[in-house]
Amino acid sequence: MAARLLRLRGWLRAAGPRPFSAQASPLQTEQHGTKRPEPSSAKSLTDIGTRRIFSSDHDIFRESARKFFQEEVLPFHAEWEENGQVSRELWEKAGQQGLLGVAIAEKHGGIGADILSSAVVWEEQMYVNCTGPGFSLHSDIVMPYIANYGSEEQVKCFIPEMVAGKCIGAIAMTEPGAGSDLQGIRTYAKKDGSDWILNGSKVFITNGWMSDVVIVVAVTNREARSPAHGISLFLVQNGTKGFIKGRKLKKIGLKAQDTAELFFEDVRLPASALLGEENKGFYYLMAELPQERLLIADMALASCEFMFEETRNYVKQRKAFGKTIAHLQTVQHKLAEMKTQICVGRAFMDNCLQLHADKRLDSSTASMAKYWSSDLQNSIATQCVQLHGGWGYMWEYPIAKAFVDARVQPIYGGTNEIMKELIARDIVSDK
């Protein structure tokens, strides 16, 4: 495994001493001096070698990621949909391929690339229309909490194993009575000597069933002047006494992605299980949520790009009234509208990705990206199903799966209604 990661880091660095630099110009150019085409003028919205925020190094990485998802994920996804989870073997293969912990610093045991490289992995997963692997949550939501706020011991214990795909991560925020309102959580951890005793339950936890370590959000000070001042994060490992995994939840979409209920009944945790400082958990969550929302938004846009290309290919083959339906003006206009909407969305999304690479993406802008992109994803899904006609309603057609998978996007990661509240709050603020 170590040798594999060293080889990966080596070719990622082949073009120079500072690959994927956040300080690099956003107007990347190829070695022969020609500027990279934007998706609007490319042959396909998923072409490799497009978009100015990326470099030829990213293209090499994208080719590798695309091959992995096409060969190691797509052929087995239907089976995983039946099982309600992907295989553990897949996680280890992803680790061997260098697709986990991509943006985690080398000093912490990660791959050490930039967030744009992570975006390559997010997008390539959506380009095969396979939502089962919870790689993005594991790598770019869970791991940053440990890398940014964990002790040296915690980092050494979890990050290398997570990068290798041998330790699967989850984060438990949502409860039966608390979703987007994180200040409404009831899971409680009280001190008992130097230990903590954790009680409560969580629901809708991605990677929950397969998880080896879970970041649990819990109240630790019920007397705090506000709920935000009394929340902490804990690392709870699978097999800990009192940590019970409930049923895998049956969903209308994301059928291969394991989603579970988690229960904590008098779980005794050592002081070393506390992640970061006591009662600082809410602030850690607020600091990391923009990346989570950016991730959801970029995957939504990538799904739009996949659905458009899938539908374009379909209408060019499907015949009605003696010719392909792509010759019908109403279909052509619908395709024109969708491509324009997607390309406009992609321009904003790439701007957000570059801002985040430069560490300048704020919460309000990330909320805009999440709300806009996930709404667009559902609009594009509806239109693409319509263009498929009755076949679009058949499960064996990729567009049907993309349609049901899209529906949850405006809900998790903070509902789009909450996103509008956050955006509006910034607009009317006098600060």
Side-chain angles (χ1 to χ4, degrees), residues 424-431:
R425 188 182 302 167
D426 191 55
I427 293 170
V428 301
S429 174
D430 292 327
K431 293 181 180 179

Side-chain angles (χ1 to χ4, degrees), residues 200-222:
S201 64
K202 301 290 184 177
V203 71
F204 310 141
I205 306 306
T206 301
N207 292 347
W209 183 259
M210 297 183 71
S211 63
D212 298 298
V213 62
V214 182
I215 297 175
V216 180
V217 181
V219 174
T220 46
N221 182 4
R222 288 175 170 168

Side-chain angles (χ1 to χ4, degrees), residues 239-291:
T240 302
K241 185 178 179 181
F243 174 25
I244 303 166
K245 295 180 180 180
R247 61 196 172 98
K248 279 187 286 186
L249 301 173
K250 293 185 177 180
K251 312 178 294 295
I252 64 171
L254 306 181
K255 292 183 179 293
Q257 186 180 103
D258 82 272
T259 310
E261 298 172 306
L262 303 179
F263 301 94
F264 307 93
E265 299 178 358
D266 291 328
V267 177
R268 180 172 291 275
L269 299 171
S272 60
L274 179 67
L275 181 60
E277 296 182 41
E278 182 180 339
N279 297 323
K280 292 291 182 68
F282 186 80
Y283 302 98
Y284 299 153
L285 294 169
M286 292 303 101
E288 300 300 325
L289 279 172
Q291 178 160 304

